[in-house]
PDB file of all heavy atoms in Angstrom:
ATOM      1  N   PHE E 156       8.194  20.434 -13.032  1.00 98.00           N
ATOM      2  CA  PHE E 156       7.600  21.014 -11.899  1.00 98.00           C
ATOM      3  C   PHE E 156       6.151  21.405 -12.189  1.00 98.00           C
ATOM      4  O   PHE E 156       5.809  21.760 -13.327  1.00 98.00           O
ATOM      5  CB  PHE E 156       8.324  22.300 -11.470  1.00 98.00           C
ATOM      6  CG  PHE E 156       9.647  22.134 -10.796  1.00 98.00           C
ATOM      7  CD1 PHE E 156      10.395  23.234 -10.422  1.00 98.00           C
ATOM      8  CD2 PHE E 156      10.140  20.892 -10.480  1.00 98.00           C
ATOM      9  CE1 PHE E 156      11.627  23.071  -9.766  1.00 98.00           C
ATOM     10  CE2 PHE E 156      11.355  20.693  -9.863  1.00 98.00           C
ATOM     11  CZ  PHE E 156      12.114  21.777  -9.488  1.00 98.00           C
ATOM     12  N   SER E 157       5.304  21.423 -11.144  1.00 98.00           N
ATOM     13  CA  SER E 157       4.006  22.097 -11.251  1.00 98.00           C
ATOM     14  C   SER E 157       3.806  22.856  -9.889  1.00 98.00           C
ATOM     15  O   SER E 157       4.326  22.409  -8.842  1.00 98.00           O
ATOM     16  CB  SER E 157       2.871  21.081 -11.434  1.00 98.00           C
ATOM     17  OG  SER E 157       2.789  20.175 -10.390  1.00 98.00           O
ATOM     18  N   PHE E 158       3.038  23.942  -9.946  1.00 98.00           N
ATOM     19  CA  PHE E 158       2.907  24.802  -8.792  1.00 98.00           C
ATOM     20  C   PHE E 158       1.443  25.017  -8.449  1.00 98.00           C
ATOM     21  O   PHE E 158       0.607  25.254  -9.304  1.00 98.00           O
ATOM     22  CB  PHE E 158       3.547  26.180  -9.114  1.00 98.00           C
ATOM     23  CG  PHE E 158       5.058  26.126  -9.263  1.00 98.00           C
ATOM     24  CD1 PHE E 158       5.616  25.722 -10.469  1.00 98.00           C
ATOM     25  CD2 PHE E 158       5.859  26.413  -8.213  1.00 98.00           C
ATOM     26  CE1 PHE E 158       6.964  25.647 -10.645  1.00 98.00           C
ATOM     27  CE2 PHE E 158       7.256  26.368  -8.388  1.00 98.00           C
ATOM     28  CZ  PHE E 158       7.797  25.949  -9.624  1.00 98.00           C
ATOM     29  N   GLU E 159       1.157  24.877  -7.148  1.00 98.00           N
ATOM     30  CA  GLU E 159      -0.236  25.026  -6.658  1.00 98.00           C
ATOM     31  C   GLU E 159      -0.220  26.073  -5.521  1.00 98.00           C
ATOM     32  O   GLU E 159       0.401  25.872  -4.515  1.00 98.00           O
ATOM     33  CB  GLU E 159      -0.744  23.718  -6.170  1.00 98.00           C
ATOM     34  CG  GLU E 159      -2.108  23.735  -5.624  1.00 98.00           C
ATOM     35  CD  GLU E 159      -2.526  22.399  -5.041  1.00 98.00           C
ATOM     36  OE1 GLU E 159      -1.927  21.354  -5.422  1.00 98.00           O
ATOM     37  OE2 GLU E 159      -3.381  22.376  -4.117  1.00 98.00           O
ATOM     38  N   PRO E 160      -0.890  27.200  -5.743  1.00 98.00           N
ATOM     39  CA  PRO E 160      -0.923  28.224  -4.673  1.00 98.00           C
ATOM     40  C   PRO E 160      -1.548  27.664  -3.407  1.00 98.00           C
ATOM     41  O   PRO E 160      -2.518  26.849  -3.448  1.00 98.00           O
ATOM     42  CB  PRO E 160      -1.823  29.304  -5.255  1.00 98.00           C
ATOM     43  CG  PRO E 160      -1.886  29.056  -6.670  1.00 98.00           C
ATOM     44  CD  PRO E 160      -1.732  27.536  -6.869  1.00 98.00           C
ATOM     45  N   VAL E 161      -0.972  28.025  -2.255  1.00 98.00           N
ATOM     46  CA  VAL E 161      -1.574  27.584  -0.982  1.00 98.00           C
ATOM     47  C   VAL E 161      -1.744  28.809  -0.059  1.00 98.00           C
ATOM     48  O   VAL E 161      -1.012  29.783  -0.146  1.00 98.00           O
ATOM     49  CB  VAL E 161      -0.674  26.526  -0.258  1.00 98.00           C
ATOM     50  CG1 VAL E 161      -0.481  25.283  -1.080  1.00 98.00           C
ATOM     51  CG2 VAL E 161       0.727  27.108   0.062  1.00 98.00           C
ATOM     52  N   THR E 162      -2.755  28.733   0.748  1.00 96.00           N
ATOM     53  CA  THR E 162      -3.094  29.820   1.665  1.00 96.00           C
ATOM     54  C   THR E 162      -3.245  29.311   3.092  1.00 96.00           C
ATOM     55  O   THR E 162      -3.688  30.059   3.978  1.00 96.00           O
ATOM     56  CB  THR E 162      -4.408  30.512   1.230  1.00 96.00           C
ATOM     57  OG1 THR E 162      -5.445  29.559   1.180  1.00 96.00           O
ATOM     58  CG2 THR E 162      -4.209  31.172  -0.125  1.00 96.00           C
ATOM     59  N   ASP E 163      -2.872  28.035   3.317  1.00 96.00           N
ATOM     60  CA  ASP E 163      -3.074  27.462   4.640  1.00 96.00           C
ATOM     61  C   ASP E 163      -1.792  27.447   5.445  1.00 96.00           C
ATOM     62  O   ASP E 163      -1.599  26.604   6.346  1.00 96.00           O
ATOM     63  CB  ASP E 163      -3.638  26.004   4.494  1.00 96.00           C
ATOM     64  CG  ASP E 163      -2.760  25.081   3.597  1.00 96.00           C
ATOM     65  OD1 ASP E 163      -1.887  25.654   2.938  1.00 96.00           O
ATOM     66  OD2 ASP E 163      -3.002  23.895   3.642  1.00 96.00           O
ATOM     67  N   VAL E 164      -0.828  28.365   5.154  1.00 98.00           N
ATOM     68  CA  VAL E 164       0.348  28.483   5.939  1.00 98.00           C
ATOM     69  C   VAL E 164       0.554  29.958   6.350  1.00 98.00           C
ATOM     70  O   VAL E 164       0.172  30.844   5.612  1.00 98.00           O
ATOM     71  CB  VAL E 164       1.632  27.991   5.166  1.00 98.00           C
ATOM     72  CG1 VAL E 164       1.457  26.551   4.720  1.00 98.00           C
ATOM     73  CG2 VAL E 164       1.878  28.860   3.956  1.00 98.00           C
ATOM     74  N   PRO E 165       1.100  30.191   7.521  1.00 98.00           N
ATOM     75  CA  PRO E 165       1.355  31.588   7.945  1.00 98.00           C
ATOM     76  C   PRO E 165       2.460  32.213   7.130  1.00 98.00           C
ATOM     77  O   PRO E 165       3.364  31.501   6.629  1.00 98.00           O
ATOM     78  CB  PRO E 165       1.778  31.403   9.430  1.00 98.00           C
ATOM     79  CG  PRO E 165       1.692  30.045   9.778  1.00 98.00           C
ATOM     80  CD  PRO E 165       1.531  29.197   8.557  1.00 98.00           C
ATOM     81  N   VAL E 166       2.369  33.499   6.928  1.00 98.00           N
ATOM     82  CA  VAL E 166       3.452  34.287   6.255  1.00 98.00           C
ATOM     83  C   VAL E 166       3.859  35.430   7.171  1.00 98.00           C
ATOM     84  O   VAL E 166       3.102  35.817   8.058  1.00 98.00           O
ATOM     85  CB  VAL E 166       2.997  34.812   4.883  1.00 98.00           C
ATOM     86  CG1 VAL E 166       2.748  33.640   3.913  1.00 98.00           C
ATOM     87  CG2 VAL E 166       1.700  35.649   4.979  1.00 98.00           C
ATOM     88  N   TYR E 167       5.051  35.964   6.925  1.00 98.00           N
ATOM     89  CA  TYR E 167       5.557  37.040   7.811  1.00 98.00           C
ATOM     90  C   TYR E 167       5.165  38.417   7.339  1.00 98.00           C
ATOM     91  O   TYR E 167       5.356  39.403   8.043  1.00 98.00           O
ATOM     92  CB  TYR E 167       7.058  36.904   7.941  1.00 98.00           C
ATOM     93  CG  TYR E 167       7.831  36.973   6.686  1.00 98.00           C
ATOM     94  CD1 TYR E 167       8.156  38.172   6.049  1.00 98.00           C
ATOM     95  CD2 TYR E 167       8.282  35.792   6.082  1.00 98.00           C
ATOM     96  CE1 TYR E 167       8.877  38.192   4.878  1.00 98.00           C
ATOM     97  CE2 TYR E 167       8.968  35.773   4.903  1.00 98.00           C
ATOM     98  CZ  TYR E 167       9.280  37.039   4.291  1.00 98.00           C
ATOM     99  OH  TYR E 167       9.993  37.058   3.094  1.00 98.00           O
ATOM    100  N   HIS E 168       4.567  38.535   6.111  1.00 97.00           N
ATOM    101  CA  HIS E 168       4.138  39.810   5.608  1.00 97.00           C
ATOM    102  C   HIS E 168       3.044  39.537   4.558  1.00 97.00           C
ATOM    103  O   HIS E 168       3.064  38.523   3.859  1.00 97.00           O
ATOM    104  CB  HIS E 168       5.306  40.580   4.983  1.00 97.00           C
ATOM    105  CG  HIS E 168       4.975  42.033   4.642  1.00 97.00           C
ATOM    106  ND1 HIS E 168       4.321  42.383   3.467  1.00 97.00           N
ATOM    107  CD2 HIS E 168       5.188  43.157   5.334  1.00 97.00           C
ATOM    108  CE1 HIS E 168       4.162  43.697   3.441  1.00 97.00           C
ATOM    109  NE2 HIS E 168       4.658  44.197   4.554  1.00 97.00           N
ATOM    110  N   GLU E 169       2.134  40.445   4.453  1.00 96.00           N
ATOM    111  CA  GLU E 169       0.955  40.216   3.567  1.00 96.00           C
ATOM    112  C   GLU E 169       1.423  40.130   2.106  1.00 96.00           C
ATOM    113  O   GLU E 169       0.667  39.568   1.309  1.00 96.00           O
ATOM    114  CB  GLU E 169      -0.035  41.405   3.710  1.00 96.00           C
ATOM    115  CG  GLU E 169       0.543  42.741   3.341  1.00 96.00           C
ATOM    116  CD  GLU E 169      -0.443  43.901   3.552  1.00 96.00           C
ATOM    117  OE1 GLU E 169      -1.526  43.645   4.118  1.00 96.00           O
ATOM    118  OE2 GLU E 169      -0.152  45.005   3.141  1.00 96.00           O
ATOM    119  N   ASP E 170       2.541  40.583   1.721  1.00 97.00           N
ATOM    120  CA  ASP E 170       3.037  40.542   0.368  1.00 97.00           C
ATOM    121  C   ASP E 170       3.527  39.154  -0.040  1.00 97.00           C
ATOM    122  O   ASP E 170       3.689  38.835  -1.199  1.00 97.00           O
ATOM    123  CB  ASP E 170       4.232  41.503   0.106  1.00 97.00           C
ATOM    124  CG  ASP E 170       3.781  42.966   0.094  1.00 97.00           C
ATOM    125  OD1 ASP E 170       2.539  43.202  -0.115  1.00 97.00           O
ATOM    126  OD2 ASP E 170       4.595  43.859   0.300  1.00 97.00           O
ATOM    127  N   VAL E 171       3.794  38.296   0.964  1.00 98.00           N
ATOM    128  CA  VAL E 171       4.407  37.014   0.674  1.00 98.00           C
ATOM    129  C   VAL E 171       3.329  36.006   0.142  1.00 98.00           C
ATOM    130  O   VAL E 171       2.248  35.863   0.733  1.00 98.00           O
ATOM    131  CB  VAL E 171       5.020  36.414   1.921  1.00 98.00           C
ATOM    132  CG1 VAL E 171       5.640  35.019   1.675  1.00 98.00           C
ATOM    133  CG2 VAL E 171       6.129  37.354   2.453  1.00 98.00           C
ATOM    134  N   ARG E 172       3.658  35.329  -0.948  1.00 98.00           N
ATOM    135  CA  ARG E 172       2.824  34.298  -1.502  1.00 98.00           C
ATOM    136  C   ARG E 172       3.539  32.960  -1.427  1.00 98.00           C
ATOM    137  O   ARG E 172       4.783  32.897  -1.442  1.00 98.00           O
ATOM    138  CB  ARG E 172       2.428  34.613  -2.969  1.00 98.00           C
ATOM    139  CG  ARG E 172       1.513  35.786  -3.065  1.00 98.00           C
ATOM    140  CD  ARG E 172       1.234  36.094  -4.564  1.00 98.00           C
ATOM    141  NE  ARG E 172       2.351  36.792  -5.174  1.00 98.00           N
ATOM    142  CZ  ARG E 172       2.460  36.942  -6.518  1.00 98.00           C
ATOM    143  NH1 ARG E 172       1.521  36.472  -7.338  1.00 98.00           N
ATOM    144  NH2 ARG E 172       3.521  37.594  -7.003  1.00 98.00           N
ATOM    145  N   VAL E 173       2.765  31.855  -1.390  1.00 98.00           N
ATOM    146  CA  VAL E 173       3.343  30.510  -1.191  1.00 98.00           C
ATOM    147  C   VAL E 173       2.753  29.580  -2.164  1.00 98.00           C
ATOM    148  O   VAL E 173       1.522  29.598  -2.464  1.00 98.00           O
ATOM    149  CB  VAL E 173       3.092  30.022   0.266  1.00 98.00           C
ATOM    150  CG1 VAL E 173       3.876  28.711   0.516  1.00 98.00           C
ATOM    151  CG2 VAL E 173       3.502  31.094   1.285  1.00 98.00           C
ATOM    152  N   TRP E 174       3.589  28.657  -2.695  1.00 98.00           N
ATOM    153  CA  TRP E 174       3.125  27.636  -3.610  1.00 98.00           C
ATOM    154  C   TRP E 174       3.672  26.250  -3.155  1.00 98.00           C
ATOM    155  O   TRP E 174       4.813  26.157  -2.666  1.00 98.00           O
ATOM    156  CB  TRP E 174       3.662  27.852  -5.024  1.00 98.00           C
ATOM    157  CG  TRP E 174       3.040  28.960  -5.773  1.00 98.00           C
ATOM    158  CD1 TRP E 174       2.008  28.888  -6.713  1.00 98.00           C
ATOM    159  CD2 TRP E 174       3.392  30.360  -5.748  1.00 98.00           C
ATOM    160  NE1 TRP E 174       1.741  30.128  -7.209  1.00 98.00           N
ATOM    161  CE2 TRP E 174       2.598  31.029  -6.661  1.00 98.00           C
ATOM    162  CE3 TRP E 174       4.370  31.069  -5.037  1.00 98.00           C
ATOM    163  CZ2 TRP E 174       2.655  32.407  -6.839  1.00 98.00           C
ATOM    164  CZ3 TRP E 174       4.506  32.417  -5.207  1.00 98.00           C
ATOM    165  CH2 TRP E 174       3.643  33.100  -6.133  1.00 98.00           C
ATOM    166  N   LYS E 175       2.818  25.263  -3.347  1.00 98.00           N
ATOM    167  CA  LYS E 175       3.293  23.886  -3.196  1.00 98.00           C
ATOM    168  C   LYS E 175       3.862  23.434  -4.545  1.00 98.00           C
ATOM    169  O   LYS E 175       3.298  23.718  -5.589  1.00 98.00           O
ATOM    170  CB  LYS E 175       2.108  22.986  -2.833  1.00 98.00           C
ATOM    171  CG  LYS E 175       2.457  21.528  -2.634  1.00 98.00           C
ATOM    172  CD  LYS E 175       1.297  20.730  -2.048  1.00 98.00           C
ATOM    173  CE  LYS E 175       0.229  20.446  -3.063  1.00 98.00           C
ATOM    174  NZ  LYS E 175      -0.794  19.429  -2.612  1.00 98.00           N
ATOM    175  N   VAL E 176       5.036  22.794  -4.464  1.00 98.00           N
ATOM    176  CA  VAL E 176       5.752  22.433  -5.689  1.00 98.00           C
ATOM    177  C   VAL E 176       5.721  20.909  -5.810  1.00 98.00           C
ATOM    178  O   VAL E 176       6.090  20.170  -4.903  1.00 98.00           O
ATOM    179  CB  VAL E 176       7.222  22.900  -5.660  1.00 98.00           C
ATOM    180  CG1 VAL E 176       7.876  22.636  -7.027  1.00 98.00           C
ATOM    181  CG2 VAL E 176       7.306  24.378  -5.283  1.00 98.00           C
ATOM    182  N   ASN E 177       5.271  20.408  -6.969  1.00 98.00           N
ATOM    183  CA  ASN E 177       5.153  18.994  -7.250  1.00 98.00           C
ATOM    184  C   ASN E 177       6.021  18.633  -8.387  1.00 98.00           C
ATOM    185  O   ASN E 177       6.308  19.455  -9.306  1.00 98.00           O
ATOM    186  CB  ASN E 177       3.724  18.602  -7.600  1.00 98.00           C
ATOM    187  CG  ASN E 177       2.733  18.909  -6.486  1.00 98.00           C
ATOM    188  OD1 ASN E 177       2.903  18.355  -5.379  1.00 98.00           O
ATOM    189  ND2 ASN E 177       1.766  19.703  -6.723  1.00 98.00           N
ATOM    190  N   ARG E 178       6.484  17.406  -8.387  1.00 97.00           N
ATOM    191  CA  ARG E 178       7.277  16.821  -9.537  1.00 97.00           C
ATOM    192  C   ARG E 178       6.990  15.365  -9.628  1.00 97.00           C
ATOM    193  O   ARG E 178       7.023  14.644  -8.640  1.00 97.00           O
ATOM    194  CB  ARG E 178       8.769  17.075  -9.331  1.00 97.00           C
ATOM    195  CG  ARG E 178       9.644  16.652 -10.496  1.00 97.00           C
ATOM    196  CD  ARG E 178      11.063  17.132 -10.301  1.00 97.00           C
ATOM    197  NE  ARG E 178      11.873  16.885 -11.456  1.00 97.00           N
ATOM    198  CZ  ARG E 178      12.814  15.964 -11.575  1.00 97.00           C
ATOM    199  NH1 ARG E 178      13.118  15.176 -10.536  1.00 97.00           N
ATOM    200  NH2 ARG E 178      13.500  15.796 -12.684  1.00 97.00           N
ATOM    201  N   ALA E 179       6.656  14.880 -10.868  1.00 94.00           N
ATOM    202  CA  ALA E 179       6.337  13.480 -11.089  1.00 94.00           C
ATOM    203  C   ALA E 179       5.263  13.020 -10.171  1.00 94.00           C
ATOM    204  O   ALA E 179       5.311  11.890  -9.601  1.00 94.00           O
ATOM    205  CB  ALA E 179       7.610  12.648 -10.923  1.00 94.00           C
ATOM    206  N   GLY E 180       4.251  13.849  -9.960  1.00 93.00           N
ATOM    207  CA  GLY E 180       3.115  13.489  -9.153  1.00 93.00           C
ATOM    208  C   GLY E 180       3.362  13.475  -7.681  1.00 93.00           C
ATOM    209  O   GLY E 180       2.489  12.951  -6.901  1.00 93.00           O
ATOM    210  N   LYS E 181       4.475  14.032  -7.200  1.00 96.00           N
ATOM    211  CA  LYS E 181       4.830  13.990  -5.827  1.00 96.00           C
ATOM    212  C   LYS E 181       5.278  15.371  -5.340  1.00 96.00           C
ATOM    213  O   LYS E 181       5.999  16.071  -6.020  1.00 96.00           O
ATOM    214  CB  LYS E 181       5.961  12.975  -5.591  1.00 96.00           C
ATOM    215  CG  LYS E 181       6.469  12.879  -4.174  1.00 96.00           C
ATOM    216  CD  LYS E 181       7.637  11.865  -4.113  1.00 96.00           C
ATOM    217  CE  LYS E 181       8.209  11.744  -2.689  1.00 96.00           C
ATOM    218  NZ  LYS E 181       9.394  10.852  -2.677  1.00 96.00           N
TER     219      LYS E 181
END
């Protein structure tokens, strides 16, 4: 796995953080 933080999605509370998850380049 590799993780990339994203900020281009809505969240339901300011505490929520989101990452895009990749595996084998996908």
Side-chain angles (χ1 to χ4, degrees):
F156 286 177
S157 64
F158 294 81
E159 179 185 335
V161 298
T162 57
D163 55 348
V164 300
V166 293
Y167 56 84
H168 191 276
E169 62 182 9
D170 288 340
V171 179
R172 291 178 285 168
V173 187
W174 287 264
K175 182 170 75 170
V176 187
N177 299 301
R178 185 170 187 253
K181 179 182 178 183

